[in-house]
Amino acid sequence: MSTILAFDFGEARIGVAMGSTELGIAHPLETIATVETDKRFARIEALITQWQPTLFVVGLPLGIDGEEQLASRLARKFASRLTGRFGLPVTLVDERYTSKSASMALDDTGLRGRRQKPVLDQVAAMQILQAHFDQIAEQGGAR
């Protein structure tokens, strides 16, 4: 069994989720709400120490047509920095519609509007990681 940390990268906030390969179920973890790179990576380092992941999954924001955009390049840069700093592999996962889907899921729990802000990104990260697990399961391979 190994742990995976997933990230919904944003310029203002980074949502973080985790899951184990044994269960193949993702869970929201936290939102890193700072724009300061050093503080972001210090918090990520603390999460790595705590959870000991073997893989990172990063959401890749694509346009509706599947084309890359500025946010895609920023997510790729973030993924590259993760690998460079922590030496773990990164898998990129198409994250189209995850923020909207996360918002709808939170609506269903009764958490609406501005009250979603503190958890929206981590729920989006959870959906990104769950998409990774689901894709692996569909392929019939190991997580």
Side-chain angles (χ1 to χ4, degrees), residues 2 4 10 19 46 52 55 60 63 76 78 88 92 97 100:
S2 61
I4 298 174
Q52 298 294 302
L55 174 71
L60 181 63
R76 284 185 185 281
F78 173 71
L88 293 174
L92 296 169
Y97 311 113
K100 183 172 183 137

Side-chain angles (χ1 to χ4, degrees), residues 107-118:
D107 280 344
D108 289 346
T109 69
L111 196 61
R112 293 185 174 82
R114 292 183 189 163
R115 292 176 47 220
Q116 291 184 355
K117 188 174 183 176

Side-chain angles (χ1 to χ4, degrees), residues 24-116:
I25 299 172
H27 304 279
L29 198 55
E30 72 175 70
T31 300
I32 301 170
T34 181
V35 296
E36 295 179 45
T37 300
D38 289 340
K39 288 183 180 180
R40 286 177 161 197
F41 281 101
R43 184 61 198 139
I44 291 168
E45 185 172 9
L47 292 170
I48 291 168
T49 300
Q50 179 180 1
W51 294 103
Q52 298 294 302
T54 58
L55 174 71
F56 298 129
V57 172
V58 174
L60 181 63
L62 300 171
I64 294 171
D65 57 1
E67 294 294 316
E68 294 216 5
Q69 49 195 356
L70 175 60
S72 309
R73 290 187 290 280
L74 293 174
R76 284 185 185 281
K77 183 177 179 181
F78 173 71
S80 178
R81 285 176 142 179
L82 285 173
T83 296
R85 284 181 183 238
F86 304 113
L88 293 174
V90 175
T91 296
L92 296 169
V93 173
D94 181 354
E95 70 161 49
R96 277 180 280 185
Y97 311 113
T98 55
S99 291
K100 183 172 183 137
S101 177
S103 180
M104 290 170 52
L106 289 169
D107 280 344
D108 289 346
T109 69
L111 196 61
R112 293 185 174 82
R114 292 183 189 163
R115 292 176 47 220
Q116 291 184 355

